[in-house]
Amino acid sequence: DPFNVQFSGALANQLAARGQYRQAMEVLDRFEALPHGKRGLYRTQLEIMNNYARYDDKLATLIEIFETDPEGSASWGVIGHLWWTVPEIVTLNLKDEAEVLYGQVEHIGVPWFDPKAAAFMAWGRELFLVDSYQWAVGNRDEVIEKRMAKIAGMSNEEILDDWHVRAKNNAAYLWVAGQRERAIELAQAVRHATWGPFHAERQYSWTVYLAGMYIEVGRADDATPLLAEAVANLEEAYAAGIRHPETLITLASAYGLQGNNDEALVMMERAVDYGWWITLVEMEAWTQHILQIDLWWQQLQDDPRFTHSVNRMRAIRDQQADNVRSLLTQYDMDELLAPVIEEMDRKAKELGH
C-alpha cells in the first residue's frame, strides 16, 4: 500500500541512508493529497532533514506545517524540531535571526501528553533550545558548568539509564571539562548502546570518538582495534550502498585517525557530494569540535583537495543561509505560531492540565 504511513516512513529512512535525499522526500510528499495524511510522517520528514543538515528545507517545512495544519503542529515531534531549529540557524552565521526566533519560541512550554512524552519534551527543550543555543552563541563555560552540576552525583549507569543519547552528550561535556577518565568510561558504555537501524554511523560514530579519546590520552594501542572495527563495518555499509553523509564522514574520520590521509580526503569529498558540510565548516561556531579528535584535518589544510572540499561546504552553508534569511523575512513566526499555541492550550485544558 503506497499510502501506508509506517511503511513509507521506513522506506524514506532507507532511501535517506543511501544518499537519496530527494527521493526520500518524494515518498513522504505522496501523502499531501490525503486529509491529514502527512501528519503521521512529520517527525520522519523533519528528522531526515535534520540529519542531512538541510536547515533551510526544515524551516520551510515547519512553516508549511504551521500554515496548513495547526492541530497537527501541536505535537512534540514538530515543536521539538522548532526548538532545535534555533541553534541550527546560528551555524549558518545568522546569529541575529536566531536571537529573534529564540525570543519567539522560548515561551512555548512542554505541552500535555503522557508523562513519558512530557519528560522527553522537557529534555529536548533543554538540550536543543537552551543548551545547544547557548553553546552555539559562545556561552560554553556556562553550559558545561550547568551540565556538570547535574551529573556530579550520578553514576555512569544512572546516566545511561537516563537515556543513552543524553549519555553521549554528557561524555562529551565530561571530556571538555577535563574529566577525561570518566568521559572515556562513559563513552565505552555508550558505544555499546543500541541506536537502531537508521544509519550506519549511529552504530560506529562513538567507536571512532572513543578511539580519538584514546589517542588524545596516549593510548593509541587501545584505539587501533576500535578503528579497525569501525573501518571494516563502515566500509561494508558503503559497499552495500549506504551513502548518508554522516556515515561517509565517520568513515573519513576513522581513516584520518588511522593516518590514511588519502582515503580520508576521498571519503570527505564523497560526503560533500551527498550534502555534508556542518562539522568542519562550523567547528568553532557550533561545537569547537567538542572532543577535538579530528586533529587529522589540521595535517591536510595545505592539500588542495582539502581546500576544494571546504570551499564546496561553505557554498552549501551560504546558500542555506540565504534561503533561511529569505524565509524569516517573508513570514511572521509570531503570527504562524499563534494558532498552534492556541491548539496546544485547548488540548491541555481538555486533558485537565
Side-chain angles (χ1 to χ4, degrees), residues 264-283:
L265 284 165
V266 168
M267 197 55 61
M268 178 188 289
E269 184 70 5
R270 289 175 183 166
V272 180
D273 288 341
Y274 288 93
W276 180 77
W277 64 276
I278 191 169
T279 308
L280 174 63
V281 174
E282 296 304 325
M283 186 185 301

Side-chain angles (χ1 to χ4, degrees), residues 145-216:
E145 183 178 353
K146 172 185 171 184
R147 186 60 61 90
M148 289 302 97
K150 287 189 174 182
I151 66 175
M154 298 174 67
S155 67
N156 287 343
E157 290 75 16
E158 289 172 329
I159 293 174
L160 278 173
D161 288 343
D162 194 28
W163 199 35
H164 65 263
V165 174
R166 182 156 32 185
K168 179 188 75 170
N169 294 326
N170 285 332
Y173 284 118
L174 284 165
W175 182 268
V176 173
Q179 299 184 37
R180 294 193 165 191
E181 288 188 11
R182 191 179 181 196
I184 288 173
E185 290 176 1
L186 189 55
Q188 289 169 336
V190 170
R191 88 176 191 92
H192 294 298
T194 300
W195 292 89
F198 190 52
H199 299 307
E201 85 282 349
R202 296 288 178 98
Q203 304 295 337
Y204 293 103
S205 63
W206 269 81
T207 298
V208 176
Y209 270 62
L210 178 59
M213 289 178 169
Y214 282 145
I215 292 171
E216 285 283 292

Side-chain angles (χ1 to χ4, degrees), residues 19-33:
Q20 297 175 310
Y21 172 79
R22 289 301 173 191
Q23 293 91 329
M25 293 299 102
E26 288 169 6
V27 167
L28 302 177
D29 285 342
R30 67 161 65 120
F31 289 80
E32 191 71 46

Side-chain angles (χ1 to χ4, degrees), residues 107-178:
H107 64 281
I108 301 178
V110 177
W112 59 100
F113 305 115
D114 61 84
K116 183 177 180 181
F120 185 84
M121 281 283 284
W123 167 81
R125 186 182 190 281
E126 180 183 18
L127 175 62
F128 302 134
L129 180 62
V130 181
D131 289 354
S132 293
Y133 175 72
Q134 292 300 323
W135 186 279
V137 297
N139 299 327
R140 294 166 188 154
D141 291 342
E142 293 88 338
V143 175
I144 292 170
E145 183 178 353
K146 172 185 171 184
R147 186 60 61 90
M148 289 302 97
K150 287 189 174 182
I151 66 175
M154 298 174 67
S155 67
N156 287 343
E157 290 75 16
E158 289 172 329
I159 293 174
L160 278 173
D161 288 343
D162 194 28
W163 199 35
H164 65 263
V165 174
R166 182 156 32 185
K168 179 188 75 170
N169 294 326
N170 285 332
Y173 284 118
L174 284 165
W175 182 268
V176 173

Side-chain angles (χ1 to χ4, degrees), residues 59-332:
L59 179 60
T61 299
L62 285 167
I63 289 172
E64 178 187 357
I65 294 170
F66 296 143
E67 278 194 307
T68 61
D69 189 5
E71 184 179 353
S73 302
S75 68
W76 65 269
V78 175
I79 298 302
H81 275 285
L82 173 64
W83 289 333
W84 204 347
T85 297
V86 178
E88 289 167 347
I89 290 176
V90 179
T91 71
L92 297 170
N93 290 336
L94 300 177
K95 290 186 178 182
D96 291 342
E97 291 83 351
E99 183 178 2
V100 172
L101 185 60
Y102 183 94
Q104 292 168 319
V105 305
E106 67 171 334
H107 64 281
I108 301 178
V110 177
W112 59 100
F113 305 115
D114 61 84
K116 183 177 180 181
F120 185 84
M121 281 283 284
W123 167 81
R125 186 182 190 281
E126 180 183 18
L127 175 62
F128 302 134
L129 180 62
V130 181
D131 289 354
S132 293
Y133 175 72
Q134 292 300 323
W135 186 279
V137 297
N139 299 327
R140 294 166 188 154
D141 291 342
E142 293 88 338
V143 175
I144 292 170
E145 183 178 353
K146 172 185 171 184
R147 186 60 61 90
M148 289 302 97
K150 287 189 174 182
I151 66 175
M154 298 174 67
S155 67
N156 287 343
E157 290 75 16
E158 289 172 329
I159 293 174
L160 278 173
D161 288 343
D162 194 28
W163 199 35
H164 65 263
V165 174
R166 182 156 32 185
K168 179 188 75 170
N169 294 326
N170 285 332
Y173 284 118
L174 284 165
W175 182 268
V176 173
Q179 299 184 37
R180 294 193 165 191
E181 288 188 11
R182 191 179 181 196
I184 288 173
E185 290 176 1
L186 189 55
Q188 289 169 336
V190 170
R191 88 176 191 92
H192 294 298
T194 300
W195 292 89
F198 190 52
H199 299 307
E201 85 282 349
R202 296 288 178 98
Q203 304 295 337
Y204 293 103
S205 63
W206 269 81
T207 298
V208 176
Y209 270 62
L210 178 59
M213 289 178 169
Y214 282 145
I215 292 171
E216 285 283 292
V217 298
R219 296 170 58 180
D221 289 345
D222 291 327
T224 299
L226 294 182
L227 292 171
E229 174 191 340
V231 166
N233 283 280
L234 290 168
E235 285 182 339
E236 181 180 350
Y238 184 81
I242 301 298
R243 296 292 186 274
H244 190 277
E246 285 289 345
T247 302
L248 303 184
I249 202 59
T250 300
L251 180 53
S253 297
Y255 283 145
L257 290 172
Q258 285 181 326
N260 298 328
N261 290 341
D262 286 338
E263 290 90 339
L265 284 165
V266 168
M267 197 55 61
M268 178 188 289
E269 184 70 5
R270 289 175 183 166
V272 180
D273 288 341
Y274 288 93
W276 180 77
W277 64 276
I278 191 169
T279 308
L280 174 63
V281 174
E282 296 304 325
M283 186 185 301
E284 177 63 26
W286 181 236
T287 62
Q288 204 174 20
H289 235 61
I290 196 165
L291 298 180
Q292 300 187 6
I293 66 163
D294 290 320
L295 299 179
W296 56 275
W297 277 333
Q298 296 180 7
Q299 306 168 24
L300 307 175
Q301 292 188 21
D302 295 329
D303 192 302
R305 293 172 294 175
F306 180 88
T307 302
H308 177 70
S309 291
V310 169
N311 288 337
R312 289 183 63 200
M313 286 186 277
R314 287 180 174 147
I316 294 170
R317 177 201 60 189
D318 292 345
Q319 182 60 62
Q320 286 204 26
D322 288 343
N323 294 342
V324 167
R325 190 183 294 109
S326 176
L327 285 167
L328 292 175
T329 301
Q330 182 179 354
Y331 292 94
D332 184 332

